[in-house]
Amino acid sequence: MAEERYIARFEDDFPARLRFIPGCPSGIYVKGELPDPERKTVAIVGSRACSHYGYSMAEYFASHLASAGVQIVSGMARGIDGIAQRAALDAGGVSYGVLGFGLDVIYPKENKDLFDMITERGGLITEHPGGTQPVKAFFASRNRIISGLCDLLLVIEARLQSGTSITVSNALEQGRDVFAVPGRLTDPLSAGCNKLISEGAGIARTPDDILRALGLSYEKPVVVKRRSRDDAFTVIKPAPAELTEKEKLVYECLDLYPKGLNELVRQTRLSVSELLEILISLSVKGVAKECAKHNYIKIWQNW
Amino acid sequence: MYSSVKTLALSGLVGTEINVEADMSDGLPVFEMVGFLGGEVKEARERVRTALKNNGITLPPKRITVNLSPADIRKTGTSYDLAVAVSLLKLLGEIPTDAADGMMVIGELGLSGKVHAVSGVLPMVIQAKEIGIKKCMVPADNYTEAAAVDGMEIAGVNSIDEMLSFFNGELTDCIRERKQTCISGGGYDVDFSEINGQETCRRAMEIAAAGMHNILLIGPPGAGKTMLAKRLPTILPAPDHGECMEITKIYSVAGLLGNGQGLITTRPFVNPHHTISQVALAGGGGLPKPGACTLAHRGVLFLDELPEFSHNALEILRQPLEEREINIQRAQAACTYPADFLLCAAMNPCRCGYYPDRSKCRCTDNDVRKYLGRISGPLLDRIDICAEASEVDYGSLKGNGKNESSDSIRKRVERAANIQHERYAGTGIRFNSEISVRDIETYCHLGAAEERMMRNAFESMKLSARAFHRMLRVSRTIADLDGSADIKVNHLSEAIGFRSIDGRYWNG
């Protein structure tokens, strides 16, 4: 069990990056490690109610960056935060969680496994003493610590008005780089990201873009390893699944956004029975997934 | 002086023969009725006396006693009026003393002497036939209903006048031979051809109808879930004469048959609001009346907005879903009503209704899970098929006018039903959905390739073990629709595709 400790602002252990941000906390409570100041740190943030596109993108960026040795900071929340941190740990990297409540509280409960894992390979940081319960106001002020700890802030998915915009303005105030993952123009969940890009944020098309901005070279493609639940290390990229002609046709029709079965019927002109058979076969091969009843997404192969 | 006339007392769908005995003797003038009578039966005294008076027959100033025997059965309802009147008329010599011998008399009287329709005529006539009665007198408005019973002479009378003429042999044409009133199939005012798009639900409902699998429709508000469900009875196999009788009996007892309506030849569609109480769903009352699940017997019980139904109300569905009947115990009576229905439920995928469309839905995964968690697990275990009703876009809204009709879908369903009928002859099973876990290996045997496919699907898709048998039953039905003796990989795949939701289903 990792030890909890308190580090005051004037102590040497206090993260240097944090010391000079506006509104620097007078001290922080830490469980586990603090981010290594010698290594690059990226904060990955985004919507709590994210789409499957956001889910895939958070996993994609977090696992690549973590594999390249970048430390991932985020807020341990539902949605993008938790997905990115879990992906970073699963890829064998380290991650740090910044909380808006005491270290003895676990919130949200469904991230309990993440709370357990992160203190082993990373750490939890908060400015609130033990016993502080999650309160809305604290979440906004926690965001300045997330952006304060990082070299670069990456926004995966955000609405126009969202908590993420607070993190972004904090990051800009603190002089951190901001990158955003572009999305569809019609998708309100990506509207915040697209607006950031139009205002001059960096465009994150691949993890390469981020690594270059951090000044890290990235010559050889990183092989992402992922720790599966039974602790064995497996390479995530599967051998290209052998697909039949019809499977290819259906696979091409799928997207990272969920598509309903009726829409697929119209696009492929196959019968419902035939389509279901192909979709089940694609799911068994691990290249598609049913994300809600009769709504399917492609599982991204471009790892 | 003494006379007696036969009638029936109904408890649930079962009747008991009642003798209405009348006696006139000297003494203080009084008209008394005895025999464990409910309030409305006691009032019959006034109705009968006045109706007779208004037809020119005055009761003599004697001591008149009417007894409804056996006297230990509680009598309720207004169907005894006519029998009481007939027994008095025999006593007074207005009609021959052998009138109404071997005849059952049912009907309510108005003060003018008019005979009003009553509920429960069909089950009474059926019961009368069973106890060997050959003739029945019923209100004219109930004539068509009563005439549905084979081999029974029915007299439909409109008034005391007509009744008098009938017994005095002056009017005979109100007794007619039973006409064939049962028309098979058809008769629905909705049809599947009116549905554009919704290919997934069409197919799911066809499978559900073929194997009598309970079905859950999931979709955003306005996708047409109710519209689809209303058309489910139209593709079920047409009810045979016996089923029509069962349906009509229930509606007759519930007093829901219109005046002059004969046999119901369509399968019922019962659509209770989600605020329905336990009693309204199960049936109840002092003398239990049928509830929604009995009214849906041989048809479809549609529960729209499933998570909004009260937990207690849904729990009572467990008995009828298991045993296809429901036992209701009350202080005055206990009765068993049939409740063999196809359950069709509909719900939104989340509280706002638009998950997984993230441009409209802001529910977190947790919210979605919580919403799903509101449906009781045991009920979910009885649902074999689940399908998505998607929002319809303009293109398919306009339609191309070439949608398949209910008739042509029903042909396939009936073919599959016949295959099942032959396969399960003598086993007590009627449809694939009724295969017990013990018999599943016998009827849903999988070949090597199918076993392999199933194992792969289980491992890679993390299917739940509880769903396993349900998927096998559904795949049996899909194979039957396909006319295939063996369950093949494509049948299994489709069954997996239509599998019902389970707890961990809706994750990321």
Side-chain angles (χ1 to χ4, degrees):
Chain A
M1 203 61 202
E3 203 178 304
E4 286 181 32
R5 61 207 149 114
Y6 178 75
I7 306 169
R9 186 180 170 183
F10 51 78
E11 287 182 68
D12 290 343
D13 286 355
F14 196 84
R17 284 196 190 103
L18 212 52
R19 190 169 284 156
F20 301 108
I21 65 167
C24 170
S26 56
I28 52 174
Y29 298 85
V30 181
K31 191 173 177 182
E33 298 297 312
L34 277 170
D36 181 353
E38 302 297 316
R39 283 167 71 182
K40 294 292 183 186
T41 308
V42 168
I44 297 183
V45 295
S47 177
R48 267 168 300 158
C50 61
S51 71
H52 295 278
Y53 169 73
Y55 190 109
S56 309
M57 289 300 123
E59 263 193 344
Y60 172 52
F61 279 93
S63 55
H64 270 77
L65 293 174
S67 304
V70 175
Q71 314 176 90
I72 306 295
V73 178
S74 196
M76 301 294 283
R78 293 194 177 105
I80 300 292
D81 286 18
I83 294 162
Q85 294 186 288
R86 203 168 269 133
L89 294 179
D90 281 353
V94 288
S95 181
Y96 301 89
V98 183
L99 308 177
F101 40 84
L103 285 174
D104 52 350
V105 179
I106 290 179
Y107 179 87
K109 286 214 178 65
E110 63 257 34
N111 279 352
K112 180 165 191 315
D113 61 323
L114 182 59
F115 274 84
D116 293 342
M117 279 195 295
I118 206 163
T119 46
E120 303 294 318
R121 290 188 294 133
L124 291 171
I125 299 153
T126 179
E127 58 177 314
H128 301 288
T132 311
Q133 292 301 312
V135 181
K136 207 172 171 185
F138 292 161
F139 283 101
S141 66
R142 158 203 73 166
N143 291 349
R144 77 185 194 285
I145 304 180
I146 296 178
S147 57
L149 283 173
C150 72
D151 297 295
L152 183 148
L153 177 74
L154 174 61
V155 185
I156 301 284
E157 233 184 4
R159 291 176 188 272
L160 278 180
Q161 300 289 324
S162 67
T164 307
S165 58
I166 302 174
T167 319
V168 170
S169 55
N170 286 332
L172 293 174
E173 217 172 288
Q174 295 157 3
R176 314 290 193 238
D177 278 344
V178 175
F179 273 69
V181 176
R184 290 185 191 178
L185 295 182
T186 50
D187 190 350
L189 266 169
S190 286
C193 285
N194 291 339
K195 181 162 174 276
L196 281 176
I197 292 168
S198 81
E199 289 168 355
I203 303 178
R205 291 171 305 138
T206 64
D208 258 350
D209 294 341
I210 308 293
L211 292 173
R212 259 197 298 276
L214 291 169
L216 296 173
S217 62
Y218 181 29
E219 297 303 329
K220 270 192 293 185
V222 181
V223 179
V224 180
K225 286 183 174 171
R226 184 187 223 183
R227 211 171 62 143
S228 72
R229 294 283 170 251
D230 51 13
D231 266 7
F233 278 80
T234 47
V235 179
I236 192 158
K237 187 172 179 179
E242 292 298 326
L243 301 184
T244 64
E245 276 306 304
K246 275 188 179 166
E247 284 174 353
K248 267 183 207 153
L249 166 76
V250 176
Y251 181 73
E252 291 307 317
C253 278
L254 291 174
D255 200 343
L256 288 180
Y257 296 90
K259 221 172 229 192
L261 195 54
N262 290 338
E263 197 182 340
L264 288 170
V265 167
R266 273 191 287 285
Q267 285 180 358
T268 60
R269 304 197 173 279
L270 294 171
S271 73
V272 173
S273 319
E274 225 173 340
L275 254 176
L276 278 175
E277 188 190 346
I278 294 167
L279 285 163
I280 298 297
S281 161
L282 287 175
S283 308
V284 169
K285 288 176 179 167
V287 295
K289 186 175 163 190
E290 190 180 28
C291 60
K293 193 66 210 174
H294 292 155
N295 277 274
Y296 298 86
I297 49 167
K298 185 183 257 195
I299 294 197
W300 213 34
Q301 290 289 293
N302 201 8
W303 295 99
Chain B
M1 285 226 284
Y2 161 86
S3 76
S4 156
V5 174
K6 283 187 171 61
T7 185
L8 262 171
L10 267 191
S11 165
L13 294 173
V14 187
T16 316
E17 188 182 345
I18 301 286
N19 278 306
V20 180
E21 304 164 331
D23 175 82
M24 189 158 63
S25 43
D26 292 334
L28 282 175
V30 70
F31 176 18
E32 199 169 25
M33 283 181 69
V34 294
F36 200 7
L37 310 180
E40 63 274 42
V41 188
K42 281 182 189 148
E43 292 159 5
R45 195 172 51 182
E46 289 309 305
R47 283 194 296 271
V48 171
R49 194 177 52 81
T50 321
L52 290 179
K53 188 204 82 186
N54 287 336
N55 281 274
I57 301 161
T58 335
L59 293 183
K62 297 214 171 198
R63 182 178 182 88
I64 300 171
T65 311
V66 172
N67 176 38
L68 273 60
S69 145
D72 62 343
I73 294 176
R74 185 160 175 90
K75 325 288 185 308
T76 55
T78 53
S79 64
Y80 302 101
D81 296 9
L82 198 60
V84 172
V86 172
S87 67
L88 288 179
L89 291 170
K90 276 167 81 168
L91 209 55
L92 298 175
E94 295 285 339
I95 52 175
T97 43
D98 61 348
D101 280 355
M103 179 182 241
M104 194 184 65
V105 181
I106 309 160
E108 175 186 331
L109 282 175
L111 295 190
S112 66
K114 177 158 174 31
V115 179
H116 294 298
V118 294
S119 60
V121 167
L122 181 67
M124 287 194 220
V125 176
I126 291 173
Q127 186 79 40
K129 189 185 167 190
E130 278 171 19
I131 54 182
I133 293 173
K134 295 273 186 298
K135 290 185 278 184
C136 285
M137 174 175 279
V138 299
D141 285 338
N142 292 122
Y143 177 80
T144 355
E145 177 187 341
V149 182
D150 252 328
M152 183 66 91
E153 266 183 67
I154 306 290
V157 291
N158 262 316
S159 61
I160 287 196
D161 242 6
E162 266 188 37
M163 186 252 279
L164 283 167
S165 325
F166 171 74
F167 283 127
N168 290 321
E170 288 157 25
L171 178 85
T172 46
D173 63 335
C174 63
I175 286 206
R176 278 161 279 186
E177 277 302 298
R178 177 189 160 266
K179 303 264 187 313
Q180 183 70 28
T181 46
C182 176
I183 319 133
S184 271
Y188 295 98
D189 48 8
V190 290
D191 196 281
F192 252 101
S193 61
E194 295 148 9
I195 303 226
N196 295 323
Q198 304 293 15
E199 295 80 1
T200 312
C201 284
R202 271 173 173 273
R203 175 70 182 158
M205 290 188 136
E206 180 178 333
I207 300 169
M212 285 302 257
H213 298 285
N214 297 325
I215 179 173
L216 172 65
L217 304 177
I218 299 181
K225 301 185 287 292
T226 309
M227 194 176 168
L228 280 158
K230 271 203 178 118
R231 282 153 182 78
L232 185 52
T234 67
I235 59 167
L236 288 171
D240 58 28
H241 186 260
E243 289 179 321
C244 291
M245 282 290 217
E246 289 175 31
I247 299 166
T248 316
K249 251 162 91 169
I250 292 164
Y251 278 74
S252 172
V253 166
L256 294 173
L257 275 186
N259 278 357
Q261 184 174 352
L263 214 54
I264 299 175
T265 56
T266 55
R267 293 187 179 273
F269 175 78
V270 180
N271 179 8
H273 189 255
H274 58 71
T275 52
I276 189 169
S277 69
Q278 252 171 302
V279 171
L281 197 55
L287 261 186
K289 286 265 185 196
C293 69
T294 299
L295 292 175
H297 179 63
R298 302 285 179 204
V300 174
L301 178 66
F302 178 52
L303 305 180
D304 201 1
E305 307 296 350
L306 187 64
E308 306 294 336
F309 278 82
S310 92
H311 184 74
N312 291 339
L314 290 182
E315 284 305 293
I316 69 106
L317 285 180
R318 285 163 68 169
Q319 191 198 10
L321 282 173
E322 194 75 46
E323 292 161 23
R324 298 194 285 281
E325 60 183 26
I326 188 155
N327 297 313
I328 305 161
Q329 313 277 343
R330 289 294 185 274
Q332 289 175 14
C335 59
T336 302
Y337 278 115
D340 181 12
F341 53 83
L342 177 59
L343 176 70
C344 176
M347 64 182 284
N348 294 332
C350 67
R351 211 177 41 200
C352 74
Y354 292 101
Y355 187 84
D357 182 355
R358 285 307 198 183
S359 61
K360 287 180 181 160
C361 170
R362 300 181 83 154
C363 300
T364 63
D365 286 347
N366 216 31
D367 293 338
V368 176
R369 226 169 295 144
K370 223 185 270 171
Y371 187 76
L372 272 183
R374 278 154 74 169
I375 313 169
S376 96
L379 186 67
L380 216 48
D381 278 346
R382 310 241 155 273
I383 294 177
D384 295 345
I385 296 181
C386 178
E388 194 220 11
S390 58
E391 268 185 293
V392 184
D393 57 18
Y394 182 74
S396 44
L397 203 62
K398 232 175 109 208
N400 49 13
K402 277 185 288 188
N403 299 319
E404 193 177 21
S405 72
S406 294
D407 275 340
S408 92
I409 301 174
R410 194 172 56 238
K411 286 212 178 78
R412 291 197 297 270
V413 169
E414 280 174 347
R415 199 168 53 224
N418 287 339
I419 293 175
Q420 294 169 61
H421 189 71
E422 280 169 30
R423 180 167 55 229
Y424 301 131
T427 60
I429 305 173
R430 297 167 310 157
F431 294 102
N432 291 333
S433 55
E434 296 165 13
I435 305 174
S436 67
V437 174
R438 190 158 34 95
D439 291 336
I440 230 157
E441 183 53 31
T442 320
Y443 297 117
C444 307
H445 181 73
L446 298 183
E450 287 74 26
E451 286 276 7
R452 199 163 48 240
M453 185 262 161
M454 202 64 176
R455 188 172 311 122
N456 284 341
F458 252 80
E459 281 163 9
S460 58
M461 296 169 73
K462 299 198 185 83
L463 303 178
S464 84
R466 316 180 70 141
F468 178 65
H469 293 121
R470 280 180 276 157
M471 280 185 252
L472 285 181
R473 290 185 193 110
V474 173
S475 62
R476 181 66 263 168
T477 304
I478 296 171
D480 287 342
L481 276 168
D482 202 10
S484 160
D486 299 319
I487 298 174
K488 304 238 175 68
V489 167
N490 59 330
H491 306 139
L492 262 183
S493 305
E494 196 175 352
I496 296 173
F498 279 122
R499 74 188 179 280
S500 189
I501 51 173
D502 51 48
R504 63 185 163 195
Y505 174 67
W506 238 286
N507 291 337

